[in-house]
Amino acid sequence: MALAKMIMFAFAAASIFSMASAISGTATYYGPPLVPSSCYGYQDKGVMVAAANPALFNNRAACGNRYIIRCTGATNLGVPQPCRNGPITVTIVDLCPGCGANQIDLSQEAFKAIADPNAGRIRIDYTRV
């Protein structure tokens, strides 16, 4: 019984730590086409991909990095509750030169997996895997 309590405590502590280290930002979407990309040219990396803002992209240093993205809410009144399903994991394959700080441009498929595409822009938390 004590071991089970310790495991539960460790899981709860890890969850709190991961939530505390998440970065709050916004997400938009793009696509298709998803290729060519700045990181991989015409190499297909699937549909669960994203383009990073210039600071995160860091002159291609972010290429291949994976992020857990969680929808946290709306940014506009048009779709007041855009979030659906749970978090997703995406791979950075491109640069989003027009993205602001803490903004990630998801592929249309990735955006659709966590939010209503009619929202266009959502609030997110993201964490590097």
Side-chain angles (χ1 to χ4, degrees), residues 33-120:
L34 300 178
V35 291
S37 71
S38 181
C39 297
Y40 300 102
Y42 285 93
Q43 186 178 6
D44 185 1
K45 290 296 185 178
V47 297
M48 298 306 280
V49 295
N53 65 67
L56 183 63
F57 192 69
N58 191 20
N59 198 30
R60 291 192 171 85
C63 290
N65 289 347
R66 297 177 66 216
Y67 286 86
I68 296 172
I69 312 283
R70 184 174 62 89
C71 179
T72 60
T75 61
N76 61 60
L77 298 175
V79 182
Q81 296 180 7
C83 299
R84 58 177 159 195
N85 304 322
I88 58 168
T89 302
V90 296
T91 302
I92 300 298
V93 298
D94 216 341
L95 167 66
C96 176
C99 284
N102 298 330
Q103 180 181 348
I104 294 179
D105 202 20
L106 301 171
S107 67
Q108 186 174 357
E109 292 84 351
F111 192 97
K112 245 166 69 171
I114 60 169
D116 180 344
N118 291 316

